[in-house]
């Protein structure tokens, strides 16, 4: 071991060594990163701000958007910095720290996707018992379990990497510090670390994939039993978004961590798929294919435009724009829009206003008529519909 030269930093090759291509890649990935942040932040704000989305499905979706922000922020800032710098270096401890949070975010997202699959199974196969099955305590337990599994998965794999000694070449043929790319640089035998990473990844797949496969097999069976084509399309639309995300994320991530590392360009493309592109597509997939999210987004945009951009519109503004000031039409509409005159205390005008304001009572199902000197109680034949109860709040 004394003949080896140990180093304190790694060199990340990135995606290309050409300066012109690196500039184009910087612009491309900067746009992707900004869109990822903006899309997921908007998704979180819409879910928190709209009471119609305070249900388990969007509770999980809000946490998925937060995980996508964390997942992309682990690698994208370092990648953007390396596109513009000549020395694309990162310290050994910085590389291990990046690997820790990368594995934590990826494993937590994989576990959360399996919880979302079970939520869709309960919504499609047991719609009458959905609110009882997917209650708030169960949702909190599922989300907490996803974070705990991600933490343990990352902690175990990164603790054992400290036993490795890196010497010789310090060049990583990748754009970030993933464990499979670090193993070839070790001058000690990394076989145990490779088996640990493959075994823990396989164990994670055995915990999450069977739940996803079971949920969607039951969902497909339930959809096929629906007689109307409209009902089938509605049921499938609630699950197609999540199924698309699962295929994009699981298909690439499992292939990357179960197969041996080779340092090829294909590995970098696959890593970009599940660490960058999936985080960008998640808010687009869930917003474009979900009518409730689009309706909530429209309500939020209309609220912002009416209260912060356009402001309240006065009625006389429309009158002034339609008719000249002083015309007969203007005076007629002005009398209609103007409030009733307020006379001095005790005058006939004030008494009429008081009678007008007290023409209704707080008694349920009754009206008070103010015509004549005697008040008559008139029973209303039809009760007003009860207010819709506010759904249970699933906050963050």
């Amino acid at each position: 071991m004394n003949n080896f030269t140990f180093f304190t930093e790694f060199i990340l090759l990135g995606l290309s060594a050409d300066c012109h291509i690196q500039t184009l890649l910087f612009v491309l990935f900067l746009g992707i990163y900004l869109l990822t942040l903006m899309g997921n932040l908007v998704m979180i704000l819409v879910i928190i701000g709209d009471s119609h989305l305070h249900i388990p499905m969007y509770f999980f979706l809000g946490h998925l958007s937060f995980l996508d922000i964390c997942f992309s922020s682990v690698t994208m800032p370092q990648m953007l910095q390396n596109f513009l710098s000549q020395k694309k270096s990162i310290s050994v401890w910085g590389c291990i720290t990046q690997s820790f949070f990368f594995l934590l975010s990826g494993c937590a997202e994989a576990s959360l996707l399996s919880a979302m699959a079970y939520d869709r199974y309960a919504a499609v196969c047991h719609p009458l018992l959905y609110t009882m099955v997917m209650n708030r305590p169960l949702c909190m337990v599922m989300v907490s379990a996803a974070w705990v599994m991600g933490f343990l998965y990352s902690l175990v794999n990164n603790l054992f990497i400290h036993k490795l000694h890196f010497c010789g070449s310090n060049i990583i043929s990748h754009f970030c510090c993933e464990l499979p790319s670090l193993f070839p640089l070790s001058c000690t035998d990394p076989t145990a670390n490779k088996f640990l990473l493959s075994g823990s990844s396989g164990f994670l797949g055995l915990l999450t994939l069977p739940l996803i496969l079971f949920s969607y097999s039951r969902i497909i069976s339930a959809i096929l039993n629906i007689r109307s084509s409209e009902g089938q399309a509605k049921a499938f639309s609630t699950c197609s978004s999540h199924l698309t995300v699962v295929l994009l994320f699981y298909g690439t991530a499992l292939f990357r961590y179960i197969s041996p590392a080779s340092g090829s360009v294909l590995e970098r493309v696959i890593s970009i798929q599940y660490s960058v592109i999936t985080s960008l597509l998640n808010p687009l997939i869930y917003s474009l294919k979900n009518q409730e999210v689009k309706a909530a987004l429209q309500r939020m945009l209309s609220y912002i435009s009416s209260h912060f951009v356009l402001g309240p519109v006065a009625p006389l503004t429309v009158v002034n724009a339609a008719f000249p000031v002083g015309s007969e039409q203007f005076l007629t509409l002005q009398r209609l829009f103007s409030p009733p005159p307020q006379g001095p205390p005790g005058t006939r005008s004030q008494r009429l206003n008081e009678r007008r304001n007290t023409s209704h009572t707080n008694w349920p199902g009754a009206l008070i008529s103010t015509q004549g000197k005697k008040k008559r109680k008139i029973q209303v034949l039809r009760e007003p519909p009860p207010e819709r109860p506010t759904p249970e709040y699933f906050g963050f």
Side-chain angles (χ1 to χ4, degrees):
M1 295 295 294
N2 295 329
N3 296 327
F4 293 105
T5 302
F6 297 96
F7 48 83
T8 59
E9 63 180 14
F10 293 109
I11 304 298
L12 296 171
L13 289 182
L15 300 177
S16 176
D18 192 343
C19 297
H20 300 288
I21 296 179
Q22 286 183 0
T23 305
L24 294 177
L25 290 176
F26 173 80
V27 175
L28 174 64
F29 281 95
L30 178 63
I32 291 176
Y33 184 54
L34 293 178
L35 288 175
T36 301
L37 294 180
M38 183 177 64
N40 287 285
L41 283 175
V42 168
M43 184 68 70
I44 293 174
L45 293 177
V46 168
I47 292 173
I48 293 177
D50 198 302
S51 60
H52 297 83
L53 304 183
H54 293 170
I55 58 176
M57 174 184 175
Y58 299 104
F59 174 73
F60 293 126
L61 184 56
H63 281 273
L64 181 66
S65 298
F66 179 73
L67 272 172
D68 286 333
I69 293 175
C70 297
F71 203 11
S72 59
S73 298
V74 170
T75 57
M76 291 290 285
Q78 181 70 37
M79 184 196 302
L80 294 174
Q81 179 185 354
N82 291 337
F83 283 143
L84 300 179
S85 62
Q86 296 294 331
K87 188 179 180 181
K88 302 173 177 54
S89 62
I90 183 173
S91 64
V92 173
W93 283 103
C95 189
I96 295 175
T97 303
Q98 186 185 66
S99 173
F100 175 83
F101 287 103
F102 188 86
L103 291 179
L104 190 153
S105 303
C107 178
E109 184 162 343
S111 304
L112 188 62
L113 288 175
S114 63
M116 294 176 69
Y118 180 77
D119 172 72
R120 293 298 83 207
Y121 157 73
V124 174
C125 299
H126 304 284
L128 299 180
L129 302 176
Y130 175 67
T131 56
M132 297 177 61
V133 173
M134 299 301 298
N135 49 41
R136 179 169 181 171
L138 180 60
C139 295
M140 295 296 293
V141 168
M142 285 184 169
V143 171
S144 302
W147 283 100
V148 169
M149 288 182 63
F151 177 78
L152 293 178
Y153 175 80
S154 179
L155 182 65
V156 169
N157 285 282
N158 282 276
L159 278 179
F160 281 89
I161 202 175
H162 289 285
K163 296 183 178 181
L164 299 180
H165 298 281
F166 298 99
C167 54
S169 176
N170 64 339
I171 298 176
I172 301 176
S173 58
H174 206 49
F175 62 89
C176 65
C177 292
E178 286 192 83
L179 290 184
S181 301
L182 295 179
F183 294 151
L185 305 181
S186 175
C187 53
T188 55
D189 188 12
T191 305
N193 298 81
K194 292 180 180 179
F195 276 117
L196 178 63
L197 181 61
S198 300
S200 58
S201 301
F203 179 73
L204 176 65
L206 290 177
L207 285 180
T208 55
L209 275 180
L211 183 59
I212 295 175
L213 295 176
F214 167 77
S215 300
Y216 276 99
S217 62
R218 298 297 300 272
I219 287 172
I220 294 173
S221 176
I223 291 175
L224 294 178
N225 290 331
I226 299 176
R227 296 181 180 179
S228 63
S229 58
E230 182 180 356
Q232 290 181 351
K234 185 177 180 180
F236 184 75
S237 64
T238 61
C239 307
S240 58
S241 302
H242 180 257
L243 186 59
T244 304
V245 173
V246 168
L247 293 177
L248 288 175
F249 183 81
Y250 266 89
T252 53
L254 287 180
F255 174 79
R256 174 76 172 98
Y257 278 85
I258 292 178
S259 61
S262 61
S264 62
V265 179
L266 179 61
E267 287 186 350
R268 283 175 269 183
V269 173
I270 291 175
S271 297
I272 290 175
Q273 168 63 44
Y274 63 79
S275 63
V276 177
I277 303 300
T278 304
S279 301
L280 171 67
L281 294 180
N282 280 349
L284 298 177
I285 292 173
Y286 281 104
S287 60
L288 293 179
K289 288 191 174 184
N290 196 305
Q291 298 296 329
E292 293 179 349
V293 174
K294 289 193 289 187
L297 185 59
Q298 291 176 358
R299 286 192 293 267
M300 186 184 73
L301 294 177
S302 63
Y303 177 82
I304 293 174
S305 62
S306 61
H307 287 76
F308 299 100
V309 180
L310 299 177
V313 181
L316 289 181
T317 304
V318 182
V319 176
N320 293 335
F323 304 103
V325 178
S327 62
E328 183 178 356
Q329 295 88 346
F330 175 81
L331 295 177
T332 302
L333 293 176
Q334 188 179 32
R335 286 194 297 271
L336 293 175
F337 285 115
S338 299
Q342 300 291 336
T347 61
R348 182 173 180 272
S349 176
Q350 185 182 21
R351 291 194 299 271
L352 289 176
N353 290 332
E354 291 178 354
R355 292 176 62 184
R356 184 183 296 110
N357 294 332
T358 59
S359 60
H360 293 83
T361 182
N362 292 328
W363 298 348
L367 285 176
I368 297 297
S369 175
T370 58
Q371 297 178 0
K373 296 182 179 180
K374 295 182 179 180
K375 297 180 180 180
R376 295 183 294 110
K377 183 177 179 180
I378 304 174
Q379 297 292 334
V380 179
L381 298 179
R382 184 177 180 181
E383 293 286 344
E387 294 184 358
R388 182 180 179 183
T390 305
E392 184 182 359
Y393 175 68
F394 286 87
F396 294 94

